[in-house]
Amino acid sequence: MAGRIITRCVSRALVEFGSGANCVKSRGTNRNYWTALRRTSTALTSGRAAFLLGLPALSCLGYAAYRKVQSSAVVCALDRGEVLEQADYLYSCAETEKLYQLLVQYKDSNDAEFLWRLARASRDLSLLPNIEAGRKKQLTFEAFEYAKKALEKDDLCSAAHKWYGVCLSDVGDYEGVKVKIGNSYIIRDHLERAIELNPKDATSIHILGYWCFAFAELPWYQRKVAAVIFSSPPESTYEEALAFFLKAEEVDPNFYSKNLLMLGKTYLAMKDKEKALLWLTKTKEYPAHTLEDKEVHKEAVDLLKKLG
């Protein structure tokens, strides 16, 4: 894709533990959890443009519910609602392997809510550092199939569209640059559909902003390379990216440190130093809850130093 394409699963856990260890409280009005997991560059690109892939919202359960799934890798829950709640809690706790074992029991389900969560869990499992290459590839393609099935079962499910786009980008890593660039059109279509179905999902809006930023910063010579493969390769502008980042912030203020950073970087690219300083300063002051927050904080500090 454009610049240096970063296909990553962002399941960032912005969680605040309540009094004691008995509950987990979600942060943000649309309860989106993010964790930066991987970066994959393509042969086409060498810049710093990134395509950030996001994850949908999670539920919040008490510690007692977690205890039900903690004792065994495979859990037989009593009903659909309980399974989904357990799955969402395990996801918020980053219990990737237990989450996968819970959901893979429902791989033959016709319920999109199970299937998109299984797609997400399969992908998260593929990104763990101890997964060998063959297994990683297998899980990547399995995740895409689950997302595809979720979409087939319910094409009005916003999360199914989001995860179809995420997983389509992943399989493109194994299918070559031409396929990956071609898929970028489809990815954008599904992100737009996800937002249409759920306009309050700040994560999907942010992802689409990142998609635009990636193609906006593509240098002219890389555009020429892309044009050899496609007569009209995907393109966008910083103005379009900015609109999505601002919209995400409007929908859910301060929901994600990376959105603040990207606002600063977009204003920098547009040569608006005053607004870039404003958003980079907000990024620097954002509480660093996760490893990604710390990385974002460092980048913001470095950019502020360069701006003087």
Side-chain angles (χ1 to χ4, degrees):
M1 267 197 185
R4 175 174 176 169
I5 303 296
I6 302 177
T7 35
R8 40 164 89 155
C9 165
V10 203
S11 56
R12 176 172 184 268
L14 286 178
V15 294
E16 298 174 353
F17 285 87
S19 57
N22 293 331
C23 70
V24 174
K25 189 184 302 179
S26 64
R27 183 169 177 234
T29 57
N30 64 352
R31 298 175 301 168
N32 291 303
Y33 295 76
W34 302 63
T35 306
L37 292 175
R38 83 165 179 184
R39 298 182 178 184
T40 305
S41 61
T42 70
L44 174 66
T45 60
S46 59
R48 291 184 56 85
F51 181 31
L52 210 68
L53 300 179
L55 305 182
L58 301 173
S59 297
C60 177
L61 295 184
Y63 183 69
Y66 176 52
R67 291 292 295 174
K68 291 183 180 180
V69 297
Q70 189 178 37
S71 61
S72 173
V74 179
V75 182
C76 294
L78 294 177
D79 55 41
R80 174 183 183 274
E82 182 175 322
V83 175
L84 293 177
E85 286 186 340
Q86 289 174 352
D88 288 343
Y89 189 79
L90 284 175
Y91 177 66
S92 73
C93 297
E95 291 281 1
T96 304
E97 294 186 23
K98 289 179 180 178
L99 174 60
Y100 176 80
Q101 291 298 328
L102 171 65
L103 290 173
V104 77
Q105 299 175 94
Y106 303 92
K107 65 181 181 179
D108 296 321
S109 171
N110 291 320
D111 190 328
E113 293 298 317
F114 285 121
L115 293 167
W116 71 253
R117 284 174 171 83
L118 179 55
R120 179 183 66 184
S122 300
R123 184 176 189 270
D124 283 357
L125 189 59
S126 78
L127 298 175
L128 293 180
N130 61 336
I131 298 295
E132 56 93 18
R135 178 63 172 153
K136 181 187 185 77
K137 181 177 180 180
Q138 177 187 358
L139 287 165
T140 298
F141 279 86
E142 283 183 8
F144 175 70
E145 290 302 318
Y146 295 137
K148 180 180 178 182
K149 186 177 177 183
L151 199 56
E152 290 171 351
K153 298 303 178 183
D154 185 1
D155 66 355
L156 297 180
C157 176
S158 174
H161 282 279
K162 182 192 298 186
W163 275 99
Y164 184 86
V166 170
C167 296
L168 180 61
S169 180
D170 285 346
V171 299
D173 292 341
Y174 294 97
E175 296 181 336
V177 174
K178 183 176 181 179
V179 172
K180 193 164 184 68
I181 294 176
N183 285 347
S184 63
Y185 295 98
I186 303 171
I187 291 167
R188 173 159 187 161
D189 287 345
H190 283 281
L191 289 173
E192 290 177 339
R193 182 58 173 154
I195 295 168
E196 180 183 351
L197 291 167
N198 184 6
K200 297 300 183 180
D201 180 7
T203 64
S204 290
I205 300 169
H206 169 82
I207 294 164
L208 191 49
Y210 230 116
W211 189 101
C212 295
F213 185 91
F215 286 104
E217 75 166 1
L218 191 66
W220 67 268
Y221 61 88
Q222 292 182 1
R223 292 182 191 277
K224 283 199 168 187
V225 174
V228 172
I229 304 174
F230 288 90
S231 57
S232 56
E235 58 183 28
S236 188
T237 64
Y238 289 121
E239 288 76 12
E240 188 176 19
L242 179 66
F244 285 119
F245 293 139
L246 287 172
K247 182 62 178 178
E249 206 61 31
E250 176 188 333
V251 167
D252 193 0
N254 294 316
F255 76 105
Y256 185 32
S257 62
K258 190 79 172 191
N259 198 65
L260 302 177
L261 176 66
M262 291 312 301
L263 278 163
K265 291 177 71 171
T266 305
Y267 277 119
L268 268 182
M270 296 170 65
K271 304 189 185 307
D272 189 333
K273 183 177 178 180
E274 182 179 351
K275 289 183 179 177
L277 285 170
L278 170 67
W279 288 102
L280 290 173
T281 301
K282 287 186 177 183
T283 308
K284 184 184 73 171
E285 294 172 351
Y286 189 94
H289 295 291
T290 69
L291 176 60
E292 187 187 30
D293 286 337
K294 293 176 183 177
E295 293 172 349
V296 165
H297 178 271
K298 183 180 184 304
E299 185 173 355
V301 169
D302 291 343
L303 287 171
L304 286 168
K305 287 179 180 177
K306 290 180 182 177
L307 287 173

